Amino acid sequence: MHDLALQLAIIGVAGIAAQWIAWRLQIPAIVLLLAVGLVFGPLTGFMNPRADFGELYTPLVSTAVAIILFEGGLTLNFREIRETSTAVRRIVTVAGPLIWLMTALAAHYIGNLSWPTAIILGGLLVITGPTVIMPLLRHAKLKNRPASILRWEAIVNDPIGALFAVLAFEVYLVIHTGHQAENLVFTVLFALVIAIPGGIAAGRFLAWMFSRGEAPEYLKAPILLAAVVGMNSVTNLVLEEGGLLTVTVMGITMANSRIASLADLRRFKETITILLVSGLFIILTASLQPEVIASLEWRVLGFLAVVLFVIRPLAVFLATIGAGLSWRERALVGWIAPRGIVATAVAGLFGSTLADLGVVDGDRMIAYVFAVVAVTILLHGFTLGPLSRLLDLRSSDRPGILIVGASRFTVALARRLKAQDVPVLIADANWSRISRARLAEIDAWYGEVLSEAAHHNLNLSQFDYLLAATDNEAYNALVCTDFGPEMGRSDVYQIGKIADSDRRAMNFTIGGQPLFQPAKGFAELRDLLVDGWNFQATRLTEEFEYERYLETRAEGTHVMLWIRPSGALVFAASEGSGTPSEGDTIISFGPKRAEREQEKIVKATTTEREARAEKARQTADAVKPGEVAG
């Protein structure tokens, strides 16, 4: 296909479709993107982006990778790394060079690659791509410490691994093409001066500019995007792929600056990153030539086995001795190291260049990197969840609820949910109120849930839903509005009445979904508890169906949510929630039934069950041996 506009449209639609299907099926999106790229490219020959894009291919890929790394840097706050700084530092500075050295040796002696190709390949495979790690962490729900280590390593190692490969390539040029070593040393030092201090200076300047109001809100995101592209290009003029380090440092600098609009900027960059990741994986995979894949031989299996099961685990184990990690955390970090876009993109650049310079197996490096990328995406993508569960490093295996506001109502709800093994945590900034939750043996967090401390100290990945239930309806709306983009607008709920007057009603874009229909406020719920209302959990069975359940409830009872056998939660107030079915456990809020009425219901249900059982026995007795009951 040579129509570039149509090709880009197909890649964009296919990429986002793969992301959506992966979300629905709860599988790593990168796996589907890899499959789509293989189908579009080497399997069918439908497109070849490297040939079709021509000279634009390399700069477009480089710019897209820089934007992705900058967005990753925006997620790294130094407050988050305090507990894991030693481990991350050792993994980057000790494990990284060890992996480079051991991978180069394995590539030469096991993969039978020439030394130039093997050394450059070793530098590339230090990289553990954030484009793969981030989606995996989003689904895996790891505990804070291992998740933080994997995220920091992936983002920091991306530019460092690329620089390792660049240095190896430049050394090859010095040895074989007459380049002067003095020029190489000067170039590397000059590039580092631009990359690190330049990235810090650019990040601080933008932070100062945005915090002082020197740029209007509608221009902040475009200015940021232009600055990333510009800083990446300037550093690349001095040292190829050096711009990746610049934009990463720039992103980390801005992440640790107090900018009020940082959350909005981060969401904008995340949207662009999802689009770029989806498109790039398809483009890079579709650009693979069938003959490159066919060049893979039996040696690559031995190389993969050593890289996956020996080099990475050994390097991480040695680097993290005395780093304060448990053996479970070291085992998980030593295994999980999927490679992604940066390794593939840089391999394509240097592989073709080495081939042009006369290195016979230069193109084979592309095939080896693709093999590592494909295998690590599949193995690590599908084993992260089970392994973290086996090592007890998951924050929770079931969807949880974060409740903001401690009161008699929320504590009673939390106790009922906890009895059903639903993870629940109550957060409140008032000590006397949060003490009520602790006395009831409910997990509690004392502090302002909207604070930066909550963002870094609360493991929000274990909570799929939020309920804002304080006595301040405006604050409830604010909490839901703040957490909505992260948890999902359809998964944040609040209590409170809807104002009758248009002057007092909030805009429909503010707040979450009402927990009750019709809505109930804090004072009304408190009064209902005083009147004897409580929470009840009832499991539906074949004999006790939902219609029968409704008949047995006292007047005014509200069905709040139900828990499916899989552990999934369904809130009754959500649009399209449907009705509970057999096996679901209903959590309701309503008045107590009289004991005599309760006894009648239980007796009637028991009598009905016994009658059905008796009828079944009579039917079985009436069937003679060899006959089939009709």
Side-chain angles (χ1 to χ4, degrees), residues 39-301:
V39 172
F40 281 1
L43 294 182
T44 64
F46 178 65
M47 62 175 66
N48 183 359
R50 180 182 290 275
D52 296 337
F53 289 10
E55 295 182 356
L56 291 176
Y57 179 85
T58 298
L60 285 177
V61 170
S62 176
T63 302
V65 170
I67 294 172
I68 292 169
L69 280 183
F70 174 77
E71 193 273 335
L74 278 180
T75 66
L76 301 182
N77 193 291
F78 289 128
R79 294 188 61 179
E80 175 190 323
I81 202 177
R82 286 176 182 173
E83 188 180 1
T84 58
S85 58
T86 301
V88 172
R89 185 170 61 250
R90 290 188 183 180
I91 289 174
V92 172
T93 60
V94 178
L98 284 175
I99 291 172
W100 183 11
L101 173 62
M102 290 189 289
T103 304
L105 293 173
H108 179 71
Y109 290 108
I110 299 176
N112 199 30
L113 298 178
S114 63
W115 278 116
T117 304
I119 294 173
I120 295 175
L121 176 62
L124 286 177
L125 295 185
V126 171
I127 297 171
T128 58
T131 56
V132 188
I133 285 289
M134 297 305 188
L136 293 184
L137 294 179
R138 192 175 294 125
H139 293 293
K141 295 185 177 181
L142 291 181
K143 292 182 178 178
N144 279 341
R145 193 157 67 176
S148 174
I149 293 173
L150 290 173
R151 181 165 54 250
W152 272 86
E153 181 205 2
I155 295 171
V156 174
N157 259 358
D158 247 25
I160 290 177
L163 287 178
F164 284 167
V166 170
L167 288 176
F169 179 73
E170 293 292 339
V171 169
Y172 171 80
L173 293 180
V174 168
I175 296 174
H176 292 88
T177 63
H179 282 217
Q180 295 182 0
E182 295 81 2
N183 290 340
L184 171 60
V185 174
F186 174 78
T187 299
V188 171
L189 292 177
F190 187 47
L192 291 178
V193 168
I194 293 178
I196 299 177
I200 295 173
R204 288 183 174 176
F205 173 75
L206 289 173
W208 172 86
M209 185 179 177
F210 292 168
S211 62
R212 291 283 298 273
E214 299 295 333
E217 290 297 323
Y218 73 92
L219 276 182
K220 287 182 178 180
I223 289 173
L224 203 59
L225 188 60
V228 171
V229 174
M231 291 299 295
N232 177 62
S233 300
V234 168
T235 314
N236 283 348
L237 291 176
V238 180
L239 184 66
E240 192 71 40
E241 304 304 327
L244 300 182
L245 180 59
T246 305
V247 297
T248 303
V249 172
M250 182 176 160
I252 295 175
T253 301
M254 295 197 68
N256 291 274
S257 303
R258 301 185 67 85
I259 309 174
S261 55
L262 185 61
D264 296 331
L265 294 174
R266 189 181 290 123
R267 288 173 192 141
F268 170 76
K269 298 292 291 181
E270 185 179 12
T271 300
I272 294 180
T273 297
I274 291 174
L275 291 170
L276 292 177
V277 168
S278 304
L280 274 182
F281 253 101
I282 294 176
I283 289 173
L284 292 171
T285 311
S287 297
L288 286 169
Q289 296 301 307
E291 54 269 21
V292 172
I293 298 178
S295 68
L296 294 172
E297 52 184 356
W298 65 268
R299 292 178 178 273
V300 75
L301 297 177

Side-chain angles (χ1 to χ4, degrees), residues 525-582:
L525 293 172
R526 179 192 58 201
D527 294 341
L528 291 174
L529 284 170
V530 172
D531 291 340
W533 282 42
N534 65 355
F535 291 95
Q536 300 160 3
T538 309
R539 185 174 179 272
L540 300 184
T541 63
E542 182 180 357
E543 294 83 10
F544 192 66
E545 298 177 341
Y546 185 56
E547 292 76 12
R548 178 63 174 160
Y549 167 83
L550 292 178
E551 294 174 0
T552 61
R553 296 303 98 180
E555 184 178 354
T557 297
H558 288 268
V559 173
M560 295 182 59
L561 60 101
W562 52 91
I563 307 168
R564 298 198 182 280
S566 63
L569 305 179
V570 181
F571 282 79
S574 62
E575 185 176 352
S577 59
T579 57
S581 56
E582 180 184 345

Side-chain angles (χ1 to χ4, degrees), residues 363-576:
D363 280 337
R364 288 182 63 200
M365 179 173 63
I366 303 175
Y368 269 64
V369 170
F370 169 75
V372 173
V373 169
V375 170
T376 55
I377 285 175
L378 290 172
L379 285 183
H380 298 163
F382 286 109
T383 60
L384 177 57
L387 181 61
S388 61
R389 191 178 298 110
L390 178 66
L391 297 175
D392 193 26
L393 292 177
R394 283 175 68 92
S395 57
S396 174
D397 283 325
R398 301 187 62 176
I401 302 177
L402 172 62
I403 300 177
V404 181
S407 64
R408 287 186 60 186
F409 172 79
T410 57
V411 169
L413 172 60
R415 292 180 67 177
R416 179 57 63 186
L417 292 170
K418 184 179 178 180
Q420 300 299 320
D421 296 325
V422 176
V424 60
L425 181 140
I426 296 179
D428 201 304
N430 184 291
W431 178 255
S432 61
R433 289 198 296 260
I434 205 69
S435 299
R436 181 181 297 156
R438 287 176 171 168
L439 289 174
E441 298 183 347
I442 302 297
D443 290 339
W445 190 80
Y446 171 58
E448 174 53 64
V449 76
L450 296 176
S451 66
E452 190 176 358
H455 177 76
H456 296 299
N457 297 326
L458 273 179
N459 186 7
L460 297 177
S461 64
Q462 64 180 313
F463 303 112
D464 295 85
Y465 303 94
L466 177 139
L467 168 59
T470 71
D471 57 356
N472 187 323
E473 295 178 8
Y475 178 76
N476 293 339
L478 175 62
V479 170
C480 291
T481 302
D482 186 76
F483 280 86
E486 183 174 354
M487 304 185 76
R489 296 285 184 183
S490 60
D491 296 327
V492 290
Y493 297 84
Q494 69 178 94
I495 62 171
K497 287 184 174 295
I498 300 175
D500 298 329
S501 170
D502 290 339
R503 291 180 178 273
R504 296 176 57 201
M506 293 185 183
N507 191 292
F508 70 94
T509 61
I510 298 175
Q513 298 192 73
L515 183 64
F516 292 99
Q517 293 286 5
K520 294 184 181 298
F522 182 88
E524 184 178 356
L525 293 172
R526 179 192 58 201
D527 294 341
L528 291 174
L529 284 170
V530 172
D531 291 340
W533 282 42
N534 65 355
F535 291 95
Q536 300 160 3
T538 309
R539 185 174 179 272
L540 300 184
T541 63
E542 182 180 357
E543 294 83 10
F544 192 66
E545 298 177 341
Y546 185 56
E547 292 76 12
R548 178 63 174 160
Y549 167 83
L550 292 178
E551 294 174 0
T552 61
R553 296 303 98 180
E555 184 178 354
T557 297
H558 288 268
V559 173
M560 295 182 59
L561 60 101
W562 52 91
I563 307 168
R564 298 198 182 280
S566 63
L569 305 179
V570 181
F571 282 79
S574 62
E575 185 176 352

Side-chain angles (χ1 to χ4, degrees), residues 114 116-117 172 351 354-363:
S114 63
T117 304
Y172 171 80
L354 284 175
D356 294 340
L357 292 173
V359 179
V360 179
D361 57 2
D363 280 337

Side-chain angles (χ1 to χ4, degrees), residues 597-616:
E597 180 184 356
Q598 174 71 12
E599 291 175 0
K600 289 181 180 179
I601 294 171
V602 173
K603 185 176 180 180
T605 304
T606 303
T607 302
E608 183 179 351
R609 187 184 297 114
E610 291 175 350
R612 291 188 181 184
E614 180 63 26
K615 184 178 180 181

